[in-house]
Amino acid sequence: MAKLNQVIAIEKGVKSRAHSEISEVYKKVKRADLFNGIIKTYQPKEENGETYPSENQKVQEFVTSVLKQVAKSKAELFDVTAQKDFANMAAKANVSIDGEIIIADAPVPFLLFLEKELTDLRTLIDSLPVLDSAEDWEKDEVSGLYKTPVTRRNSTKKVQKALVLYPATDKHPAQTQLITEDLTVGLWEQVKLSGAIPKPKQEELLEKIEKLINAVKYAREEANQLDAAKIEVGDKIFSYLLS
């Protein structure tokens, strides 16, 4: 008796072969000329009248033969799929992490579904925004946001004033030049806020989900060790259909 994992291993090949064979059948049935033939003979009206050679076209394909080919390909596919799916109804295993059972008696179809969903979730977690490591962050328990310490920066504006180049004398007036300088007029205080998560938290989540994915894979492999009874449904289906 084959193991479930052995049946799963050959299922892909059986599907591929059946698909290829049925594709060839479709090509045949679209060519009506393959299923048609002709025998054409000429009989002159007069005994010594002109004669013509006979024309013959053989029938190259039979619908009954095509259906037998379909039955052979599909029956094998039906059997191996039934063997897998019927075994899957009984194949179960626990999803455990560090000795703790997370999911008890999980069936194989659910384990396959869960593995895909967790893999998608890992991709999402890996792309989550994380806090800028160049900043010092502290969590505000009231708002749930992360905050940086207050930073302060002077607010300035440019003003012009006269710069005396040469003071006035009894002979010459003072020489001045307008210059621009920054004058402090206020103070900016800034606090950065973020709804992102710390990088270590993201790494912790990724580590946990990786362990969970691996646990699901182990459970699936354990469940797939179940014996898969051979189930023959293909011949019965086509026996009814083609009788």
Side-chain angles (χ1 to χ4, degrees):
M1 183 180 294
K3 298 291 185 182
L4 178 55
N5 59 351
Q6 295 173 320
V7 176
I8 292 172
I10 67 170
E11 182 190 24
K12 185 176 181 180
V14 173
K15 281 184 176 179
S16 178
R17 185 168 62 254
H19 176 75
S20 178
E21 291 172 353
I22 298 303
S23 293
E24 290 302 313
V25 168
Y26 272 112
K27 291 178 183 177
K28 288 180 182 179
V29 298
K30 287 181 178 179
R31 291 187 56 190
D33 59 298
L34 296 177
F35 297 84
N36 296 326
I38 189 172
I39 299 176
K40 187 177 179 181
T41 58
Y42 181 79
Q43 298 290 335
K45 186 175 181 181
E46 301 295 336
E47 183 178 348
N48 295 323
E50 189 174 2
T51 61
Y52 296 95
S54 299
E55 295 179 20
N56 294 304
Q57 178 183 322
K58 291 184 178 180
V59 172
Q60 299 178 56
E61 293 289 348
F62 293 82
V63 167
T64 52
S65 297
V66 167
L67 289 176
K68 286 180 181 178
Q69 183 180 350
V70 171
K72 181 176 179 299
S73 297
K74 288 290 189 181
E76 183 183 10
L77 177 60
F78 290 173
D79 287 349
V80 73
T81 304
Q83 189 176 11
K84 179 198 72 173
D85 288 348
F86 276 77
N88 273 341
M89 294 171 62
K92 297 178 182 180
N94 296 334
V95 178
S96 302
I97 297 178
D98 298 332
E100 179 186 354
I101 296 178
I102 306 298
I103 306 171
D105 295 329
V108 169
F110 177 71
L111 291 172
L112 290 169
F113 161 80
L114 188 58
E115 183 179 342
K116 179 183 180 304
E117 290 297 315
L118 291 175
T119 301
D120 291 343
L121 187 56
R122 177 178 57 189
T123 301
L124 173 64
I125 292 173
D126 196 35
S127 62
L128 291 175
V130 296
L131 298 174
D132 184 356
S133 59
E135 301 283 355
D136 294 321
W137 298 95
E138 185 175 337
K139 189 171 184 179
D140 181 354
E141 298 300 334
V142 176
S143 65
L145 295 171
Y146 284 89
K147 295 181 177 182
T148 62
V150 178
T151 58
R152 295 175 175 83
R153 178 174 57 86
N154 289 333
S155 177
T156 62
K157 74 174 184 178
K158 297 185 180 300
V159 296
Q160 289 185 326
K161 74 174 187 176
L163 175 65
V164 178
L165 300 176
Y166 302 103
T169 66
D170 56 352
K171 294 181 179 181
H172 301 287
Q175 292 186 26
T176 61
Q177 177 183 338
L178 282 177
I179 63 170
T180 302
E181 68 175 14
D182 292 329
L183 179 66
T184 299
V185 295
L187 185 69
W188 282 106
E189 291 188 348
Q190 176 176 287
V191 174
K192 292 184 179 180
L193 305 173
S194 179
I197 59 173
K199 183 67 175 177
K201 181 60 178 178
Q202 182 193 41
E203 293 172 347
E204 178 189 343
L205 287 171
L206 287 172
E207 182 181 350
K208 283 185 174 181
I209 200 164
E210 193 67 34
K211 290 178 70 173
L212 190 52
I213 289 172
N214 288 334
V216 170
K217 288 180 178 179
Y218 296 151
R220 173 167 53 80
E221 288 303 311
E222 181 183 343
N224 284 339
Q225 293 298 319
L226 180 78
D227 289 332
K230 188 169 181 59
I231 298 176
E232 297 179 346
V233 297
D235 287 344
K236 292 180 180 179
I237 290 172
F238 285 100
S239 176
Y240 163 76
L241 185 62
L242 302 181
S243 62

